[in-house]
Amino acid sequence: MPAAGRLRYLEALPRGIDRARGVRSESRGTLVLIHAFPLNARMWEPQLALADRGWRVVAPQLRGVDGGDRDPPTSSMDDYAGDVIDLLDALHIHEAVIGGLSMGGYVTLAMFRHAPRYFLGMVLADTRPQADTPEGVEGRKRMLRLVSEKGVAALADEMLPKLLGDATRRDRSELTAGVRGLVLSNSTESIGGAIAALMTRPDSTPLLSTIHCPVLVLVGDEDTITPRALSEDMQRAIAGSELVVLPGAGHLSSMEQPAAFNEALARFLGHRL
Ligand code: MLT
């Protein structure tokens, strides 16, 4: 995986684009996709196919993730956001459609809070604007104890039934094993840092009415971590935004229903940008 600034990233370029002749001038635009917790950038591999529709796709790997030891893990959503902004600068990307799934959505909102000028459009998948509730914070503390006492495999056992929808877990053992592999790629330290960032993130609800770029909200209809009703509320709070509900998907909708997810994204990119 190449690196720029402090982050590694996955990238797909539209066919026929010659990097030497300038990526920016020849592609339709750049789509930046930020991964969920506790996964890594490889969760976006099915979305790299959007390069076939003319978009440059960049998927940053958040700091400390998947053995990334260039930096100590962070404990702040703002650090993750600052790292992605630095990556955009290092890649000379001045504006892009920026989005993420779940924690990737929290990072996206933190980026918008600090640097809205980078946003041509926004994609918020299986996420929410609210901060953790007091019960949510207690749950995070239990998770921290679980990881430090029993390791990352115990976290994977606990989270997989929540991350994936019923249909996926029943019928798609390969995908379930693949997600487990992504979780296991992370160290106890990076997971501990991410949990601290999750439980201290601010409420982004007041930000929603200030978003005036085109926004696509996506949610799996079997998502139990960030249920559909939260996406409906978020879509109502962002003027002019669109909501797409993906049948047969749980929380990891981009991995569980990649064709429907990509179709919704391609339609949004085609019509709204
Ligand atoms: C994620 O998928 O990124 C996490 O489940 C987010 C969260 O726990 O709030």
Side-chain angles (χ1 to χ4, degrees), residues 50-240:
L50 287 160
D52 296 343
R53 315 253 190 156
W55 287 79
R56 176 189 190 183
V57 185
V58 174
Q61 178 124 291
L62 296 176
R63 82 159 82 165
V65 161
D66 190 16
D69 50 9
R70 294 157 62 94
D71 285 293
T74 184
S75 54
S76 141
M77 213 51 76
D78 284 344
D79 278 352
Y80 285 144
D83 289 347
V84 179
I85 291 169
D86 289 347
L87 175 68
L88 298 187
D89 289 345
L91 295 175
H92 308 290
I93 296 170
H94 305 301
E95 48 184 19
V97 177
I98 302 170
L101 190 141
S102 198
M103 184 176 81
Y106 310 157
V107 176
T108 299
L109 291 170
M111 285 176 71
F112 187 82
R113 183 177 304 110
H114 294 293
R117 67 181 179 282
Y118 287 88
F119 283 76
L120 266 182
M122 188 186 292
V123 179
L124 296 169
D126 300 277
T127 192
R128 68 171 87 209
Q130 295 85 4
D132 277 0
T133 60
E135 302 79 61
V137 170
E138 288 312 310
R140 303 280 189 206
K141 289 180 182 163
R142 274 196 301 279
M143 200 182 267
L144 271 176
R145 280 197 297 277
L146 177 74
V147 180
S148 68
E149 286 165 14
K150 302 205 169 139
V152 180
L155 177 73
D157 291 341
E158 168 153 328
M159 284 203 75
L160 274 176
K162 300 177 192 156
L163 289 171
L164 297 170
D166 289 343
T168 303
R169 279 183 291 122
R170 190 182 57 236
D171 303 330
R172 300 176 62 197
S173 53
E174 255 176 53
L175 178 58
T176 307
V179 172
R180 189 181 171 79
L182 294 183
V183 176
L184 294 180
S185 73
N186 289 301
S187 66
T188 311
E189 291 71 31
S190 77
I191 286 179
I195 292 174
L198 286 163
M199 65 193 241
T200 56
R201 75 186 190 280
D203 181 15
S204 293
T205 311
L207 198 66
L208 301 183
S209 64
T210 71
I211 302 174
H212 296 299
C213 60
V215 177
L216 175 65
V217 179
L218 294 143
V219 66
D221 70 349
E222 296 176 19
D223 187 344
T224 54
I225 295 183
T226 48
R228 173 182 179 157
L230 291 175
S231 287
E232 290 170 348
D233 289 346
M234 191 160 62
Q235 185 267 326
R236 276 193 290 272
I238 304 175

